[in-house]
Amino acid sequence: MSAGNLTLLTDLYEITMMQGYFKTGNHDVVVFDAFYRVNPSGGGYAIACGLEQVVEYINGLHFTADDIRYLESLHLFDDDFLKYLSTFRFSGSIYAIPEGTVVFPREPLLKVVAPIMEAQLVETAILNIINHQSLIATKAARVCYAAKGDTVMEFGLRRAQGPDSGVFGARAAVIGGCKGTSNVLAGQTFNIPVMGTHAHSWIMSFPDEYTAFKTYAELYPDACTLLVDTYDTLKSGLPNAIRVFTEMRASGTEMKSYGIRMDSGDLAYLSKKARRMLDDAGFPDAVISASNDLDEYLIESLKIQGARITSWGVGTSLITSRDCPAFGGVYKLAAIRNADGHFAPKIKLSENSEKVTNPGNKEIYRIYDKKTGKIRADLICLEEESFDESRDMVLFDPNETWKRTRINGGTYTMRKLLVPVFEDGKCVYTSPAVQEIRKYCTAEKATLWDENMRFVNPAKVYVDLSDKLYKMKQTVLNEMSAARSRPT
């Protein structure tokens, strides 16, 4: 639960491979790319998240005496290798897409350039951190899109898969768009708003519902949201809530934030009835909030039905991303530096064309429509490439190359997505506060077209390869194909 030493948060084979490189004298500097292949939940985008925790992990990366003794007890590692581990420090460079950025399949969210032993060790933890938080941030962005500007609160801690997932999931949810969380530890850790009401047990612990409401209102007049469905929403809960609101107003008590919450029943029907009852009683500014296993699909449906809910508490489906519980990020070798200092491209082949990797030391450019500020496409290229925005650009699908589009010079702008995080082992990046990342993420989501945001069959944002990178990839593929066809 702390940012302590997570060095052994890795798969065993990372360390056995490290020993193999050590024993064979392999100190090659390599490039590894961390990326994903398919957008979560069948969506049109994802949200990059988790970089701050990656930075903390790399900064704390070292093998303690207890770590060395444990590895020694496995009887897999030689003394000379364990001695090397005892002084291990990360000396490489890391580049990453900033948290809160809208991202798409196959583009590197993070790039590691380091000696192969170091690059191999950090694979598992990087994927663990980035995969989880990017998944939850993406789910939160989808839920908030369905809510159309209404307040969304994350409150899934009790259903999260463990404390870490609850705390860091809350962080990611706020970055993705949630206004706050019920998770007090996350609030303290990341300085994010904590929000909540009360449970049914509060009502049940009093002799009657009215007394429970009145007591709570007197205790918390500035944040008084009453849960009205313990016994009967329309016949008991709402009349008692209205009675309390009326009495508080008559006593001269100003309630800065007040309203009701419903956690069961037909939320569309009940919210419309509740809105009418509250308005008729003189409380048009009373908030109607709802919970009860909500997700983006149910919220969208309730909106279509005319539900009068303006605040949404989303728990299980958000904190677990229930319909898509894994992000699917991978970490693949892309290049090895030669003696002359140039990077030789490396590629992974597969019968599935989507799993064939993009080789080389790469950069990503985002291309925006100059007039609207919306994303036209992303372009993966080689690191040394540069582009002139005043010139026409031809983009093509790297798998179906006959699909081409021309963007006229002067009608688009470009920006690099990868930023330096570590250079030669030294951290050169300062992570913004969570609320700053949330604000940035809101601006990022505004660069998507409405068609990219829809839940069913969203329009695709193309991630294309530069002509130079595409030709390199084809050359490597042809060379490998020729090598495989030679007689043995």
Side-chain angles (χ1 to χ4, degrees), residues 197-457:
T197 56
H198 58 76
H200 294 105
S201 57
W202 172 267
I203 310 296
M204 297 161 65
S205 69
F206 284 81
D208 57 77
E209 190 174 51
Y210 162 74
T211 305
F213 285 173
K214 186 64 179 292
T215 305
Y216 192 85
E218 290 173 343
L219 286 169
Y220 306 107
D222 292 340
C224 180
T225 301
L226 303 175
L227 181 59
V228 296
D229 70 335
T230 304
Y231 302 122
D232 187 300
T233 299
L234 298 180
K235 293 181 180 179
S236 175
L238 265 162
N240 280 320
I242 289 170
R243 178 183 173 187
V244 169
F245 296 155
T246 302
E247 292 174 353
M248 294 292 283
R249 177 181 287 174
S251 70
T253 303
E254 179 184 356
M255 292 184 292
K256 294 180 181 178
S257 175
Y258 73 103
I260 64 166
R261 176 167 73 96
M262 297 177 293
D263 190 51
S264 60
D266 187 328
L267 296 178
Y269 170 78
L270 291 173
S271 68
K272 285 183 265 190
K273 288 287 189 180
R275 183 75 274 159
R276 186 175 301 117
M277 291 171 67
L278 288 164
D279 290 352
D280 290 346
F283 300 104
D285 57 340
V287 171
I288 299 178
S289 63
S291 46
N292 189 26
D293 273 345
L294 299 172
D295 61 14
E296 65 267 44
Y297 304 104
L298 182 52
I299 292 173
E300 183 179 57
S301 174
L302 288 167
K303 286 281 190 181
I304 292 171
Q305 295 171 62
R308 300 300 303 275
I309 300 160
T310 56
S311 180
W312 308 84
V314 187
T316 307
S317 294
L318 171 52
I319 202 65
T320 66
S321 187
R322 181 155 53 184
D323 66 324
C324 180
F327 192 69
V330 295
Y331 185 86
K332 299 298 180 184
L333 179 66
I336 298 178
R337 191 163 68 191
N338 291 328
D340 62 4
H342 293 95
F343 282 99
K346 295 293 178 177
I347 197 168
K348 176 193 175 297
L349 297 183
S350 172
E351 294 295 323
N352 183 344
S353 62
E354 289 296 313
K355 289 194 173 185
V356 176
T357 59
N358 292 316
N361 186 17
K362 298 178 289 297
E363 178 59 81
I364 313 163
Y365 280 89
R366 178 148 293 167
I367 305 170
Y368 298 93
D369 181 80
K370 198 170 187 177
K371 184 176 180 181
T372 64
K374 302 290 187 181
I375 299 173
R376 291 294 303 271
D378 277 2
L379 184 69
I380 306 177
C381 61
L382 295 173
E383 188 182 50
E384 66 269 18
E385 291 189 77
S386 60
F387 303 90
D388 184 349
E389 295 174 4
S390 67
R391 303 185 63 178
D392 291 358
M393 175 177 285
V394 176
L395 300 174
F396 62 93
D397 186 308
N399 295 317
E400 299 172 316
T401 55
W402 62 89
K403 294 182 178 179
R404 292 174 176 259
T405 185
R406 178 181 295 274
I407 305 178
N408 294 329
T411 68
Y412 66 92
T413 60
M414 302 179 73
R415 76 169 173 116
K416 288 184 178 182
L417 293 188
L418 292 171
V419 301
V421 180
F422 283 86
E423 292 182 345
D424 299 325
K426 181 180 179 182
C427 183
V428 296
Y429 179 82
T430 301
S431 180
V434 170
Q435 292 292 70
E436 293 177 49
I437 302 173
R438 180 182 185 270
K439 183 177 179 181
Y440 167 75
C441 184
T442 299
E444 276 289 293
K445 290 182 288 185
T447 65
L448 291 165
W449 303 84
D450 289 342
E451 293 82 358
N452 306 137
M453 302 286 282
R454 65 186 177 225
F455 300 141
V456 178
N457 193 28

Side-chain angles (χ1 to χ4, degrees), residues 67-77 82:
D67 295 338
I68 298 298
R69 280 192 289 271
Y70 172 71
L71 293 175
E72 185 179 24
S73 75
L74 299 179
H75 304 295
L76 290 170
F77 305 106
L82 293 175

